[in-house]
Amino acid sequence: MSFLEKIEPHILSDDFFIQKTVLRAIHDYPNLPVEWTIQLLKKAFEDKEEQSSIFIYIDNQTMNQEALEMLIENTPKLDRTKVHLVLSLVNKVDPELAWQFRESLEGFISEDTWELYELIVNGTEEAIKGEYEKYLNQLESLQYYEYVPYIKAKKLAKSIVKNGWISANEIDIIIQAELNEQWFSYRGILAVYMIGLLKMDKYIPTLASLLVRDEDILLEEAATALIAFQNDDVVEAVAPYLKKRDSVIFATSVAESIKSDLAVKYLREAYHVTEDIDDQDIIVEALCYQFSSEALPEISDHMKKGHVSQIVDLEQTAYGCYSILDEHHPDMESWKQEAEQREMHNRNVSKQGSLLESIPVRNENKVGRNDPCPCGSGKKYKKCCGK
């Protein structure tokens, strides 16, 4: 049974913890049927309890016209504290689709972004490439990474690829030059992004080798590009990096998102040779999201250790995995109780925060490994402060 066949009966689960397990498992998975995304959006607008989780975890999924129309229609009815999550989804819609709904989206998208979209939709090759160069120069001149100009550069890069305005040879030249430098430039990082868009298989070993680098944005793009291939060549390439302390986070992220028997095999092997318990947490979480009965011995073994993880909701994830597989474990009920207590605590803290917005409150919520980082970087916790 395939990954999608296993989770399909649970995509709209009434069990909060099973639902959240499914959402976290699909977050980086690129082949989710768009019809499922629409079903999840509909549930989000009907169920306030699930809203935030659904909005957060479908942000990498495709938004078609029906999904966009649903966002436009329902966002005005949302609690104001949730609107920013929908705006994040709208801003990830392809510029060509957003442009078709410009009148309805006026309040969703900034004026300077509309100017960029108009260029992408109607601009010439020369104009779009010129704007791309402008953003690359701007990014290189900045002292620190800035999310907005980087995302705009990515949208231009995607347009260049989509229109066939960059050749494989040009990308080869960029990558070879970057590999000889100590740090990748933004041009090199976005070339990695383009490799993922173009599915350039010959670069799989090169992308895997980048997982040991100490460059956060490059690591993010290399992992995303590898995941896009969705084949076992990628699993073979990242397997050695699952066993290295300096690459385990991103390598595990890739193996977790390629749902195959080979990925399960290498993750199980990595678990048994990894000594650091925090790294074991990460690998076990990835095994849970594979939803493979073959991985249950490692998951069960790790849960017996009673480790209180700072970056993985182990009890919730293990409970969700066993439930979806329709397998029994004698500790399942206690795992669910632990997850319920944590969730209740988190909601109480959140309520206090909303009632006392003007008073600084220490947020004691456990941040999920795949949740947005509380530091505001725009990256996932596992790839930012949770490293």
Side-chain angles (χ1 to χ4, degrees), residues 10 275 356:
H10 310 281
E275 296 180 357
L356 303 171

Side-chain angles (χ1 to χ4, degrees), residues 9 16 35 44 48 134 156 190 200 231 260 277 284 294 315 341 348 352 355:
F16 176 84
E35 295 81 11
K48 291 184 179 179
K134 186 187 89 173
L156 289 162
L190 287 168
M200 299 174 70
N231 63 41
S260 75
I277 197 161
V284 165
E294 296 296 318
E315 293 83 8
Q341 290 173 10
N348 288 337
Q352 291 171 12
L355 291 171

Side-chain angles (χ1 to χ4, degrees), residues 86-325:
V86 174
L87 293 180
S88 177
L89 293 177
V90 170
N91 277 281
K92 291 186 177 182
V93 169
D94 283 341
E96 293 83 358
L97 178 58
W99 190 256
Q100 294 177 36
F101 289 84
R102 179 168 183 179
E103 186 175 338
S104 301
L105 290 172
E106 282 293 347
F108 291 77
I109 296 173
S110 66
E111 189 56 40
D112 61 318
T113 300
W114 279 124
E115 292 174 4
L116 179 70
Y117 285 5
E118 182 174 15
L119 174 64
I120 289 172
V121 172
N122 299 316
T124 63
E125 177 180 355
E126 181 181 7
I128 290 175
K129 283 187 170 180
E131 190 73 1
Y132 180 61
E133 291 297 325
K134 186 187 89 173
Y135 274 105
L136 287 180
N137 291 332
Q138 179 185 344
L139 288 164
E140 293 296 349
S141 69
L142 296 171
Q143 186 174 2
Y144 300 106
Y145 166 79
E146 288 190 16
Y147 178 77
V148 172
Y150 181 71
I151 293 303
K152 288 182 177 180
K154 280 187 76 170
K155 289 181 184 294
L156 289 162
K158 186 174 183 178
S159 176
I160 289 168
V161 168
K162 187 176 181 179
N163 285 291
W165 292 338
I166 189 165
S167 67
N169 185 56
E170 288 175 289
I171 291 177
D172 288 343
I173 292 170
I174 294 169
I175 295 296
Q176 290 308 311
E178 296 288 331
L179 290 171
N180 292 324
E181 298 294 331
Q182 183 178 3
W183 307 104
F184 264 55
S185 68
Y186 282 101
R187 186 183 304 280
I189 292 170
L190 287 168
V192 168
Y193 169 63
M194 291 178 177
I195 288 171
L197 294 177
L198 290 166
K199 304 282 200 307
M200 299 174 70
D201 296 66
K202 72 175 185 176
Y203 273 109
I204 288 174
T206 301
L207 294 175
S209 73
L210 296 177
L211 298 178
V212 299
R213 306 275 292 225
D214 189 24
E215 301 168 71
D216 288 350
I217 311 168
L218 173 62
L219 286 166
E220 188 82 37
E221 296 298 353
T224 301
L226 286 165
I227 291 169
F229 289 100
Q230 284 295 301
N231 63 41
D232 278 341
D233 289 342
V234 171
V235 178
E236 289 282 3
V238 302
Y241 301 96
L242 292 169
K243 301 173 183 178
K244 296 182 179 181
R245 191 79 211 278
D246 56 354
S247 58
V248 63
I249 291 176
F250 282 88
T252 303
S253 176
V254 174
E256 171 189 310
S257 300
I258 298 178
K259 314 299 184 178
S260 75
D261 292 341
L262 191 64
V264 173
K265 174 180 180 289
Y266 283 129
L267 284 166
R268 293 178 70 195
E269 289 179 5
Y271 174 77
H272 288 291
V273 300
T274 299
E275 296 180 357
D276 185 89
I277 197 161
D278 291 325
D279 291 344
Q280 289 178 348
D281 288 344
I282 293 169
I283 294 169
V284 165
E285 183 190 39
L287 284 169
C288 285
Y289 293 150
Q290 288 282 345
F291 303 118
S292 168
S293 297
E294 296 296 318
L296 294 182
E298 284 74 23
I299 296 169
S300 179
D301 174 71
H302 195 67
M303 295 304 294
K304 289 176 184 175
K305 295 178 182 179
H307 174 57
V308 180
S309 174
Q310 297 304 307
I311 58 174
V312 177
D313 286 319
L314 286 172
E315 293 83 8
Q316 175 198 290
T317 307
Y319 166 77
C321 174
Y322 271 82
S323 298
I324 288 167
L325 287 172

